[in-house]
Amino acid sequence: MSSYRELARTPGVGRIIAAQLTARFPSGMVSLGLLIHVEHLTHSYAAAGIVLAAMSIGQAAAGPITSRWMGRWGMRPVLTLLTALYATTIAVLALAPLPVPALIALGLIAGVSTPPVQSAVRTIYPKMVNSRQLGALYSLDASLQEIIWVAAPVLVTFLALQVSSVVALLVISVIALGGGAWFILSPEVGRVRIPRSRTALGRVLRKPTVLLTTGIGVLFIGSAAAIEAGVVAAFGEGGVESGLVLAAYALGSLTGGLGSGGIPMSRWSAARRLVIVAIGSALTLVWVSNPFWLAFALFIAGVGFAPALAVMLAGTSASVKFSETAEAYGWINTGQLIGAALGSMAAGFAIDGNGPVGAYIVSIAMVVGAAIIAAVFHRAFPDLRHRDASPIPDTEQLPVIT
């Protein structure tokens, strides 16, 4: 834990982590809030699902592009514009009784305008701490984001069902504005300038680490989405058991992430940590109807979750130029969004055919696939045991007067 104490004493680290978590908090609220609101408005879960799909498509398509914009026009202008557009769109969705086609269009706009805070902050990190602290900072970031996925759904469900779905969406809009302003006005955001990328959009995917991490992210996050669908199918959305089991998953991830911050990352680290997730996921099949056993199994799976994500983040940082980091993280986030959609869809079909156990099998298959890919292509990950995770410096030719 000494690495975390050292991080806590580093000026600005605590502030930027708190600000980015607040700015990203709406991402854990908006899907459920929008689902409940559109269903209440249209009395159709199909319509609500289409609106959510439009938002997800917008996020996945725009992520690499808006992340790349930060190198062209600066982080603050891009984040300010997108935060204002996103918050306004959510507010309009809350207040305007629109027909379904208009709701779908607004869902798409909300997805496209989702601020790339995640890409921004992970680009800032290497400029805030020394190279020796960077691995621990990525582990801390991957761990603390579990707060979003535990607290945000609980808050938005309470507001939407106990107060009003309109109020729930307005709260999302307000948090997006407040958290976004806190992050945008943070001194670190103003001090760090991302160099303009000189390569074409998508060229960063030619880097083996970025392509591998994006591909693994599809399976890795898809596995988590399938597990969540299986748990909800087993105990119901409002069941206490569902909350217990999913909270254990998040607690395991938080524990594993904080505990692994000081462990050096080798080329095999991603595969090893994904194996832990696979073992925990496989244990769900031992006693599929017992919530306490499932909580134990998913706690074990969670112990490998944040550490595996931290390896992929640090490996990406060390493999690309600083001007490419934001776009690289944008592509990784797009892969994760696609994985979440595919995992949920596959789990839905499996649940219809075999019940919750079908979703668990889908989850196990996806994370085992991720572990196998990470092992087979382990050489694509940089060995960070004897080097830091700082991005490759940008260089250019300078004219020489002779």
Side-chain angles (χ1 to χ4, degrees), residues 165-345:
S165 61
V166 172
V167 170
L169 290 184
L170 290 177
V171 168
I172 293 171
S173 180
V174 170
I175 294 175
L177 280 175
W182 185 12
F183 179 74
I184 292 165
L185 295 174
S186 297
E188 294 75 20
V189 177
R191 283 197 291 263
V192 176
R193 181 186 174 277
I194 305 173
R196 183 171 178 172
S197 178
R198 291 175 171 80
T199 59
L201 176 67
R203 189 98 179 245
V204 72
L205 286 172
R206 294 185 180 183
K207 301 291 177 68
T209 306
V210 179
L211 183 60
L212 180 61
T213 300
T214 302
I216 289 174
V218 173
L219 296 173
F220 181 41
I221 302 302
S223 170
I227 278 281
E228 182 175 345
V231 170
V232 171
F235 304 109
E237 288 186 27
V240 174
E241 297 92 342
S242 296
L244 167 70
V245 173
L246 295 177
Y249 198 7
L251 180 61
S253 181
L254 181 62
T255 303
L258 294 177
S260 66
I263 299 176
M265 300 175 184
S266 72
R267 297 183 189 277
W268 285 97
S269 291
R272 289 170 182 153
R273 297 176 185 195
L274 286 168
V275 166
I276 296 174
V277 181
I279 290 171
S281 300
L283 288 174
T284 60
L285 298 179
V286 174
W287 201 350
V288 296
S289 60
N290 187 298
F292 296 102
W293 175 261
L294 289 176
F296 167 74
L298 293 186
F299 179 87
I300 299 299
V303 167
F305 192 94
L309 183 59
V311 170
M312 290 186 275
L313 295 177
T316 299
S317 174
S319 303
V320 299
K321 293 181 178 180
F322 183 61
S323 60
E324 299 171 323
T325 51
E327 185 188 341
Y329 288 127
W331 283 110
I332 291 168
N333 189 51
T334 290
Q336 293 175 355
L337 287 167
I338 293 170
L342 291 176
S344 297
M345 181 179 67

